[in-house]
Amino acid sequence: MIRRVEEANRAPFLAAVRGRPHFGDVMPVELAVFGTMHGGPVPRFFTAAPGAALCVRGRSALMCGTYDREETGGFLGLCGVDRVLTDGVPPAGYARRRHLYCMALAGTGKGKELPPTGTDLLPREAPAPPLAGLALDSAPPPGETADFLMSAQGAEIRDNFYSELCTKLARGAACVWAARQNGRMIATAGAYALAPETAYLAFVETAEPLRGRGVGSWLVGALAARLAGEGRRVSLLCEKGRIAFYGRLGFKQEGTLWQCTREAEAGEAEG
């Protein structure tokens, strides 16, 4: 049986995600921030017997634990979900499409405070900026971040991202950094699920003309080192081709996940 998460069944939801790569870092934060909100594009949370947790975010979903394939597949189809990220077998009607790798960097400090806003934030051992005129911005405006990352996806996706980011920043559940060259944002990375013990990095992006010049690794390395130095275990998802990139920054593989799509869409894409 699939049930919406309320206070009475919050514990089974958290038990289902505890200790699982990616899901254990992301889903408790999402539940804490959005679990009491309703309407619009706000994520929805469910438990599924015998021991699974589900988060539906528009046309995508996160699913972990042990669940009935037929019931879950039918439920996701009714919700209009096209893509499911899972550590188990695909729900009925969905097929494995992309193999993703969970990477993690162990925390090295004891503090649990958010990185402060300021200009002198890089660890002492951090490398010099790879480009002239490069500066670190530890608190870029969320609107500018949304424009940089999501403008090409359309106004609705951009606005939904902006709204969620503002909510998370206000709740201390996110931390975004940017690299600027002569004042212009040229790269960004952030912890989009931030908790006292963990930080999940996502939306690592560099402006296309400057890719391959070390800006992304400089920015991600600085942010990850800062978060790990505050005692957090820092994690992220990547494709196989990026394992070596993050390995050079100290990340180690800790598991794998599958992104699944509706079987008709998977067949069309492969054809």
Side-chain angles (χ1 to χ4, degrees), residues 21-22 98-104 236-243 246 252-258:
H22 181 68
R98 294 173 64 209
H99 204 181
L100 298 174
Y101 295 80
C102 307
M103 309 289 289
L236 54 85
L237 282 182
C238 71
E239 295 188 325
K240 187 174 183 179
R242 300 291 284 174
I243 291 177
Y246 289 111
K252 296 182 179 180
Q253 185 182 335
E254 64 172 10
T256 62
L257 305 177
W258 282 98

Side-chain angles (χ1 to χ4, degrees), residues 149-161:
L149 290 170
M150 298 295 170
S151 287
Q153 305 299 318
E156 182 178 359
I157 292 177
R158 181 268 178 204
D159 290 347
N160 289 343
F161 176 87

Side-chain angles (χ1 to χ4, degrees), residues 4 7 18-19 27 38 61 109 153 155-156 175-176 203 244 257:
R4 186 161 190 146
E7 193 60 37
R18 188 175 298 118
M27 292 172 77
H38 302 284
Q153 305 299 318
E156 182 178 359
C175 172
V176 180
F203 298 109
L257 305 177

Side-chain angles (χ1 to χ4, degrees), residues 23 26 42 46 52 56 63 69 99 154 192 195 231 237:
F23 301 104
V26 173
V42 173
F46 305 88
V56 176
M63 184 84 191
R69 291 188 66 244
H99 204 181
Y192 286 85
L237 282 182

Side-chain angles (χ1 to χ4, degrees), residues 13 22 36 46 49-50 100 110 138 150 156 171 181 243 249:
F13 179 94
H22 181 68
T36 60
F46 305 88
L100 298 174
K110 296 181 180 180
S138 68
M150 298 295 170
E156 182 178 359
R171 295 284 298 273
Q181 187 178 44
I243 291 177
L249 298 176

